[in-house]
């Protein structure tokens, strides 16, 4: 008796689920047609409203981001000395804010975060040390590589000075 009650109950439940799943949802139909409820179309945004997300905030020095800030100017390859960087490390530098900010494509991975600091600012060159924060111990990290842009503030505009890029051990 209990077995047949379970079978009947399960059958009724399956019947209800399949019956509900087979029903069509009401949709909009052209004017003059019958048999369905009309669903109003969503209001389109006015021209003054923005559909796109707001642009990212300016990149503060020391905080990495994935894109180069708008208005940055790329430093010519002959003004970048990247001979001390490992193979495969990015070699891209841009200036912003009248040449007083360097936006540098760095490399980071897993739980680490890229860092950049102006180690030396001489009359003919600027040395920038690139590093990465250490991951916390006993923490699982992904094995991915990202190429964020880090910003480094200079005491004076870069002008014709050469940017010397170096890596230092993780902090």
């Amino acid at each position: 008796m209990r077995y047949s009650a379970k079978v009947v109950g399960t059958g009724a439940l399956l019947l209800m689920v399949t019956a509900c799943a087979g029903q069509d949802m009401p949709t909009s139909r052209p004017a003059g047609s019958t048999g369905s409820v009309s669903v109003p179309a969503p209001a389109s945004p006015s021209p003054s409203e923005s559909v796109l997300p707001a642009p990212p905030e300016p990149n503060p020095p020391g905080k990495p981001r994935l894109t180069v800030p708008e208005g940055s100017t790329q430093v010519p390859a002959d003004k970048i000395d990247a001979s001390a960087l490992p193979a495969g490390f990015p070699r891209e530098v841009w200036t912003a804010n009248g040449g007083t900010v360097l936006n540098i494509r760095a490399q980071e991975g897993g739980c680490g975060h890229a860092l950049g600091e102006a180690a030396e600012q001489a009359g003919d060159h600027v040395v920038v040390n690139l590093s990465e924060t250490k991951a916390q111990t006993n923490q699982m990290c992904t094995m991915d590589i990202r190429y964020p842009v880090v910003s480094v503030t200079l005491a004076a505009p870069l002008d014709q000075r050469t940017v010397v890029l170096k890596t230092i051990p993780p902090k």
Side-chain angles (χ1 to χ4, degrees):
M1 181 69 172
R2 286 192 330 186
Y3 177 74
S4 58
K6 286 182 183 179
V7 170
V8 170
T10 304
L13 180 63
L14 288 173
L15 182 62
M16 285 187 341
V17 170
T18 56
C20 291
Q23 291 183 354
D24 289 334
M25 299 299 290
T27 59
S28 297
R29 293 190 181 225
S33 65
T34 59
S36 178
V37 176
S38 178
V39 178
S44 60
S46 68
S48 63
E49 293 179 20
S50 176
V51 182
L52 299 175
E57 293 294 317
N59 192 16
K63 181 138 173 101
R65 69 172 340 147
L66 296 177
T67 59
V68 178
E70 286 187 38
S72 297
T73 305
Q74 191 159 17
V75 175
D78 64 338
K79 289 293 182 182
I80 301 172
D81 177 1
S83 59
L85 293 179
F89 205 95
R91 289 154 164 76
E92 300 173 43
V93 181
W94 295 266
T95 59
N97 198 29
T100 59
V101 174
L102 297 179
N103 293 304
I104 303 163
R105 178 82 57 196
Q107 181 176 307
E108 66 184 18
C111 297
H113 296 286
L115 302 170
E117 65 179 340
E120 180 184 337
Q121 299 186 46
D124 62 341
H125 68 277
V126 173
V127 177
V128 177
N129 287 337
L130 299 171
S131 65
E132 187 176 355
T133 59
K134 280 187 181 177
Q136 297 176 358
T137 57
N138 299 328
Q139 180 180 359
M140 293 183 71
C141 297
T142 60
M143 294 187 66
D144 61 329
I145 296 178
R146 297 176 300 274
Y147 300 100
V149 175
V150 295
S151 295
V152 176
T153 303
L154 302 177
L158 181 64
D159 291 330
Q160 296 302 312
R161 295 187 286 176
T162 300
V163 179
V164 180
L165 300 175
K166 295 183 177 184
T167 58
I168 59 172
K171 294 183 175 191

